[in-house]
Amino acid sequence: EEEEVVAEETTAAQKQQQLGQNRFLRADVISFVNSASSDNRMLSGRAVARIFHGLTSPAFPVNIWSHNRFWGRYDTSDFALIQKFADESIRNLAIPADDRRNA
């Protein structure tokens, strides 16, 4: 019984830590998407996740993108989660703020 309580506390602490990490990840994704959109660069959620994982591609070559502060910064984070956050951020850019509030 005592072991179960310790396990539950550990799981709760791990969940809290993960939520904190996800908050920073989401904020970084939003920052990156906003800065990329101001450069008129077309991005997909997948492209953002590849950059955050430090994965090169013809569109985002390592010799140029490795200087970006987000390049490979989240290489141990869940690729699908980064892509999800990026897709949401990109969608939110496409919808004017007034329309988001009324939705």
Side-chain angles (χ1 to χ4, degrees), residues 13-31:
Q14 289 171 339
K15 285 181 183 178
Q16 192 65 28
Q17 182 181 10
Q18 186 177 17
L19 286 174
Q21 290 170 347
N22 287 350
R23 186 171 45 240
F24 288 117
L25 171 59
R26 184 184 295 269
D28 282 348
V29 167
I30 291 168
S31 174

Side-chain angles (χ1 to χ4, degrees), residues 29-43 48 65 68-70 89-90 93-94:
V29 167
I30 291 168
S31 174
F32 178 78
V33 168
N34 286 338
S35 68
S37 71
S38 68
D39 294 340
N40 294 320
R41 185 173 293 279
M42 292 298 295
L43 287 177
V48 173
W65 283 90
N68 184 288
R69 69 185 178 119
F70 296 115
S89 298
I90 292 165
L93 279 177

Side-chain angles (χ1 to χ4, degrees), residues 74-87:
Y74 291 96
D75 60 345
T76 59
S77 295
D78 181 23
F79 189 94
L81 182 63
I82 298 171
Q83 185 173 350
K84 176 185 170 213
F85 288 165
D87 285 336

